[in-house]
Amino acid sequence: MKFLITAGPTREPLDPARYITNRSSGRMGYALAGAARHEGHEVMLISGPTHLDVPPGVDFLQVETAQQMYEAVRDYSKGADVAILCAAVADYRPVAYSEQKIKKVGERLVLELERTPDILGSMRSVFGFRGYLIGFAAETQDVETYAREKLVRKQCDMIVANDVSRSDIGFDSRDNEVVLVFPDRCEYPEKDTKEHIAMHIIEHATILRP
Ligand code: PMT
């Protein structure tokens, strides 16, 4: 099967020296890519900037901004059987990019931000993706409720939800503890390394894909 997997953060530039980003290390997405490849699947990994090594045998495309990730996913989702969107894509980006470094003037600086394209939300409605679609949900409260709402609104087959208010799981940690939200049920795997959680998700995707 062909897997498309996104990972890592995006960077939304403000000026030549600065950008807006988040705490994603890429570990969860890279673990998914490694697990899918280990199971013998063809894998395209589209990633924002990370310090990780690409798992052997995985095809790789590095991007920087949400817009670049949107375009790459649009192009590579066409032949994929399973898409897993694990990247922590910026929801907002600066309206204007300053060609010159923004100078330190005044006590306050107000930044105007605009929405980035919703990649997961475009998979079915804009890109016409018909394969098995797995989204992630990074929440800090009511994790399962918000994840189920995302599952329905973005027409996913599975949402992998994690509580990113915890320091021992989620962003930039070795382990994760997730809730797998399906249209008809939820599963609660035990806290484990991201590599083991990834194997579990890939097994589900392989079995459940129509
Ligand atoms: O990278 P690590 O350090 O290992 O951390 C792992 C993780 C915490 C990043 C990962 O487990 C995780 O939760 N990834 C999703 C992060 C996120 O952006 O969640 P969200 O609830 O804001 O977004 C929901 C879904 O929409 C995600 O599938 C996301 O990829 C997608 N999205 C978000 C914004 C956007 N503009 N387009 C999108 O497609």
Side-chain angles (χ1 to χ4, degrees), residues 80-113:
D81 301 298
V82 179
I84 309 180
L85 302 197
C86 178
V89 183
D91 289 320
Y92 290 89
R93 64 186 169 205
V95 169
Y97 173 76
S98 168
E99 298 288 342
Q100 309 302 329
K101 188 174 170 219
I102 298 167
K103 285 290 181 198
K104 198 165 43 179
V105 283
E107 286 306 310
R108 290 181 180 216
L109 173 69
V110 177
L111 292 175
E112 193 180 357
L113 305 177

Side-chain angles (χ1 to χ4, degrees), residues 6 8 23-29 85-91 116-121 135-139 150 154 162 164 170-173 176 194:
T6 69
R23 292 176 44 224
S24 171
S25 64
R27 286 181 73 151
M28 189 69 243
L85 302 197
C86 178
V89 183
D91 289 320
T116 56
D118 180 353
I119 305 169
L120 184 60
F136 268 68
E139 307 293 348
K150 267 184 188 141
K154 307 202 177 189
N162 44 197
V164 293
F171 283 116
D172 201 13
S173 56
N176 210 353
K194 286 181 176 170

Side-chain angles (χ1 to χ4, degrees), residues 172-184:
D172 201 13
S173 56
R174 187 195 70 143
D175 297 332
N176 210 353
E177 185 173 343
V178 299
V179 183
L180 304 184
V181 181
F182 300 94
D184 57 343

Side-chain angles (χ1 to χ4, degrees), residues 40-57:
H41 301 295
E42 214 176 291
V43 183
M44 166 55 82
L45 174 62
I46 298 173
S47 175
T50 77
H51 298 292
L52 303 176
D53 293 329
V54 179

